Amino acid sequence: MNAPKISGKKVVIVPILRAGLGMVDGLATLIPSARIGHIGLYRDEETCQPVFYYYKMPANKDRMVIVTDPMLATGGSACDAINRLKADGYQSIRLMCLVASPQGVKAVEEQHPDVDIYLASLDEGLNEKNYILPGLGDAGDRIFGTR
């Protein structure tokens, strides 16, 4: 079909590895001109704190960034990813998740009030291990068939 092209900033889709990769294909289909960056973080099972291991982004800092992660539990990984993007000079940042806890949303809103959050579902809260209730289980394991 012929349709008008929406003007504006170019986009970078940035999955938080590894689960965020499952959201990239759909977004890249909607925004074929988007670049893809990567941020590697995982949650330490003992402390529930994010552990950083990889960062690769396009050089153009003027692009709008959409950070993808299926789950927003405590908000630690999302906040750490956003901190790194801001430290690198990115200013227009969005966060896209499938399922979130109220605690995770609150953490991101408090630390990054300038970042819009897009969710498909807001669940009840977190359990004693900081997993979303009722949640969907481990998104990365579900996407990649691992355990």
Side-chain angles (χ1 to χ4, degrees):
M1 82 177 210
N2 292 322
K5 188 175 184 179
I6 298 172
S7 63
K9 294 182 177 181
K10 300 280 186 178
V11 173
V12 180
I13 302 166
V14 182
I16 296 179
L17 301 176
R18 120 190 120 128
L21 286 170
M23 299 171 70
V24 172
D25 285 346
L27 279 173
T29 299
L30 292 172
I31 314 168
S33 63
R35 302 287 189 256
I36 311 296
H38 293 90
I39 297 179
L41 292 166
Y42 67 89
R43 179 164 75 166
D44 181 290
E45 294 299 323
E46 297 293 318
T47 66
C48 293
Q49 295 299 309
V51 178
F52 172 79
Y53 66 92
Y54 187 75
Y55 182 86
K56 189 74 168 178
M57 290 290 295
N60 186 346
K61 310 291 190 242
D62 292 332
R63 292 177 178 266
M64 178 186 14
V65 174
I66 301 173
V67 177
T68 63
D69 197 0
M71 307 289 194
L72 177 61
T74 65
S77 293
C79 287
D80 195 43
I82 294 166
N83 286 338
R84 290 183 185 279
L85 289 164
K86 287 181 175 181
D88 196 23
Y90 290 92
Q91 297 176 1
S92 180
I93 302 169
R94 313 290 189 272
L95 175 62
M96 182 180 286
C97 304
L98 299 179
V99 178
S101 73
Q103 297 92 323
V105 171
K106 181 179 178 187
V108 174
E109 287 178 338
E110 286 178 352
Q111 291 184 42
H112 300 287
D114 58 323
V115 173
D116 291 331
I117 304 169
Y118 299 91
L119 301 174
S121 176
L122 183 64
D123 276 10
E124 297 170 12
L126 300 173
N127 68 13
E128 65 282 348
K129 293 185 177 183
N130 288 321
Y131 287 104
I132 299 173
L133 289 173
L136 299 171
D138 186 291
D141 286 346
R142 284 183 173 273
I143 292 166
F144 296 105
T146 56
R147 51 182 159 132

